[in-house]
Amino acid sequence: MGEAPAFIIDDLQTGFLNGFDLKSQGCATATVIGNKAYLIGGVNDEPTLSLGVHIFDQTRGELVSPLVLGTKPTPCKGHSAVLLNEDRILMIKRGSVPDDCIWFLEVDTQFVREQRKILGTEVVAWSKGVRGNADKPVVISGPSGVGKGTLISMLMKEFPSMFGFSVSHTTRAPRGMEKDGVHYHFTERSAMEREIEDGKFLEFAAVHGNLYGTSVEAVEVVADAGKRCILDIDVQGARSVKASSLDAMFIFVCPPSMEELEKRLRARGTETEEQVQKRLRNAQTEIEQGKSSGIFDHILYNDNLEECYESLKKLLGLDGNITTSPKASPKGVEFPMDLAISKIDQKIIIKCGSPDLKTTSNLIVLDLSSLKGGAPGRTRGLDFYAIESFSNGLNGFNQLS
Ligand SMILES: Nc1nc2c(ncn2[C@@H]2O[C@H](COP(=O)(O)OP(=O)(O)O)[C@@H](O)[C@H]2O)c(=O)[nH]1
Ligand SMILES: Nc1ncnc2c1ncn2[C@@H]1O[C@H](COP(=O)(O)OP(=O)(O)O)[C@@H](O)[C@H]1O
């Protein structure tokens, strides 16, 4: 809380254009929603400006610093802000690099409202905008020793360019062959708890006495690479993902019998007797929950490994003609410092170059009609089109490559 900087009061007094491409002074923008003005940027540490967020509550005459969740955009030389659906602000970075040009500041989306309730304070959340869509992630659960890791390794080996593994965080110690950052991010409990509080995790759970969790970033980097993400998580984690905004496919792997599960766990030889006992005790409950909770779309029985693997491939649509190259991961657009912006329905028209709209220059159309996802992850489904020259009118759309 604090006193509003002079320019904010000036802007509030002159009135805003209902949130659309609001006045910017220096490199700050202010977007009004109801009785609140959301101020982005304005902290001048030349040559770039950090993108801090403040809220000016007009009714109370107070300036509030909200809790800002999500990965924050890096500082930039300037930006434009456009209000969308009264719940998020589109930010276009000026002078940006192609994959870092569009961001969304969510101010009243479902995620933000939930977090506001949980945290009991004013909350906003950043979400980076990216082009294109990712295939549905695949969540694989099942008791310890059932063969999840084996099945996932087979899939990644046969289709290396198609699938990517979500590398979880865990507080358990690494096993002999496990590498940090590849099998897990091995971490201290206090560090992981801090990151959970900072909203960096999609889900987390205590399993067999240790903390495990999927960071938002672990899933997003796989999708950014144009690959389908595979998550190996327990039933509690699967339940949390099911309740989240992540649209995923859920598969539960069952052992043929408890005796066989015990045999596999012991044959693996990675746990102490005490740990094996704990995993076996938990297995019964996990199997019951896996079969009856309504979380899972498919149940696989891992009796014969090859047969189970074939069934898994079938579920993933990998039993026909398959193209194994990853989807191109489309880049954004590089915006210059000079921009003029207007909005028509779900399209943002961005004029790059001279601010004088009568001259010939490049127009870019940012189509927002197919947005998906959002905080705490990326906002996907952005589409850009270029119009070569303003003199061509709006008929000459060329899709950017
Ligand atoms: N909720 C959740 N569970 C996880 C995560 N990563 C791994 N697990 C689960 O934690 C349990 C123990 O995993 P691990 O220690 O590797 O032992 P393993 O299952 O015997 O190979 C398994 O049920 C995993 O599916 C995660 O990020 N979140
Ligand atoms: N269908 C199967 N038949 C026999 N052994 C199996 C089968 N599937 C996996 N295994 C073995 O069982 C052990 C546990 O498998 P793993 O993939 O580590 O399980 P999880 O990741 O579910 O804990 C490993 O030694 C693995 O080689």
Side-chain angles (χ1 to χ4, degrees):
M1 235 179 281
E3 202 173 300
F7 78 84
I8 297 164
I9 291 168
D10 286 351
D11 279 356
L12 288 170
Q13 281 168 353
T14 42
F16 293 113
L17 298 173
N18 231 358
F20 176 65
D21 198 22
L22 289 160
K23 293 173 71 119
S24 60
Q25 177 134 353
C27 281
T29 52
T31 306
V32 174
I33 306 173
N35 60 355
K36 289 179 181 165
Y38 290 84
L39 314 163
I40 304 174
V43 182
N44 197 343
D45 46 359
E46 290 291 343
T48 52
L49 293 133
S50 72
L51 291 159
V53 180
H54 299 276
I55 303 170
F56 185 66
D57 187 322
Q58 293 184 71
T59 324
R60 294 199 217 142
E62 277 176 3
L63 188 69
V64 178
S65 298
L67 186 63
V68 183
L69 300 177
T71 307
K72 299 168 183 63
T74 54
C76 61
K77 293 176 192 144
H79 70 270
S80 300
V82 180
L83 177 61
L84 303 175
N85 305 329
E86 301 283 311
D87 65 3
R88 73 196 69 201
I89 298 164
L90 165 72
M91 184 187 73
I92 301 169
K93 279 176 129 184
R94 296 167 185 241
S96 57
V97 291
D99 63 352
D100 186 38
C101 53
I102 303 292
W103 287 78
F104 295 86
L105 181 71
E106 298 193 7
V107 298
D108 198 32
T109 55
Q110 193 187 339
F111 172 72
V112 166
R113 284 199 299 269
E114 280 167 10
Q115 293 300 313
R116 203 183 286 145
K117 220 178 195 176
I118 294 167
L119 299 164
T121 183
E122 193 60 79
V123 172
V124 295
W126 283 110
S127 171
K128 185 175 175 173
V130 287
R131 296 180 74 189
N133 280 306
D135 280 329
K136 261 189 191 187
V138 184
V139 171
I140 300 186
S141 296
S144 181
V146 74
K148 303 177 298 294
T150 308
L151 290 163
I152 293 169
S153 298
M154 289 165 84
L155 201 61
M156 306 270 287
K157 199 167 165 199
E158 187 176 356
F159 306 100
S161 57
M162 209 179 243
F163 294 97
F165 185 61
S166 158
V167 182
S168 294
H169 283 60
T170 182
T171 58
R172 87 148 158 77
R175 292 174 188 149
M177 299 296 284
E178 285 179 334
K179 287 201 186 97
D180 187 32
V182 176
H183 299 93
Y184 279 105
H185 296 288
F186 296 100
T187 179
E188 292 289 325
R189 185 176 273 265
S190 57
M192 190 164 163
E193 283 173 346
R194 207 167 35 247
E195 295 203 324
I196 290 171
E197 269 173 33
D198 288 346
K200 294 195 174 155
F201 280 77
L202 189 64
E203 61 79 27
F204 61 92
V207 192
H208 314 316
N210 284 298
L211 199 55
Y212 292 80
T214 310
S215 71
V216 171
E217 204 54 25
V219 176
E220 295 294 358
V221 290
V222 175
D224 286 352
K227 297 184 183 184
R228 191 166 188 187
C229 186
I230 302 194
L231 294 87
D232 172 347
I233 59 176
D234 86 316
V235 178
Q236 307 167 74
R239 185 176 287 117
S240 302
V241 173
K242 188 99 178 180
S244 80
S245 59
L246 192 76
D247 184 20
M249 176 182 196
F250 295 80
I251 299 173
F252 189 80
V253 188
C254 268
S257 65
M258 288 306 284
E259 292 72 32
E260 174 63 17
L261 184 70
E262 182 166 357
K263 221 164 90 187
R264 287 182 197 172
L265 255 183
R266 291 194 191 287
R268 189 170 71 183
T270 48
E271 273 77 30
T272 62
E273 179 56 29
E274 195 191 335
Q275 286 165 341
V276 168
Q277 291 300 336
K278 191 180 257 181
R279 280 158 196 263
L280 286 173
R281 274 199 303 276
N282 291 339
Q284 195 65 54
T285 325
E286 286 174 291
I287 294 168
E288 278 163 21
Q289 288 182 353
K291 285 183 176 171
S292 65
S293 59
I295 298 170
F296 295 93
D297 306 308
H298 307 280
I299 293 180
L300 287 178
Y301 285 88
N302 184 16
D303 189 353
N304 177 291
L305 182 60
E306 286 306 324
E307 282 175 18
C308 185
Y309 180 56
E310 286 309 312
S311 305
L312 173 63
K313 287 204 290 185
K314 210 167 180 177
L315 289 182
L316 299 174
L318 299 169
D319 50 346
N321 282 338
I322 301 149
T323 33
T324 54
S325 54
K327 277 192 199 159
S329 159
K331 295 272 182 209
V333 172
E334 210 163 323
F335 289 116
M337 285 302 290
D338 262 350
L339 295 178
I341 295 172
S342 52
K343 182 171 180 276
I344 304 170
D345 298 328
Q346 291 297 301
K347 291 187 173 63
I348 306 290
I349 319 291
I350 306 163
K351 182 172 188 291
C352 303
S354 163
D356 174 7
L357 278 172
K358 289 189 195 100
T359 59
T360 298
S361 90
N362 278 341
L363 286 185
I364 292 171
V365 179
L366 171 54
D367 188 341
L368 304 170
S369 55
S370 308
L371 292 189
K372 274 199 183 137
R378 314 262 196 269
T379 301
R380 298 192 181 271
L382 291 184
D383 203 1
F384 290 103
Y385 300 88
I387 307 170
E388 284 298 328
S389 147
F390 191 55
S391 57
N392 288 345
L394 291 177
N395 302 323
F397 276 24
N398 287 328
Q399 187 147 13
L400 296 175
S401 56

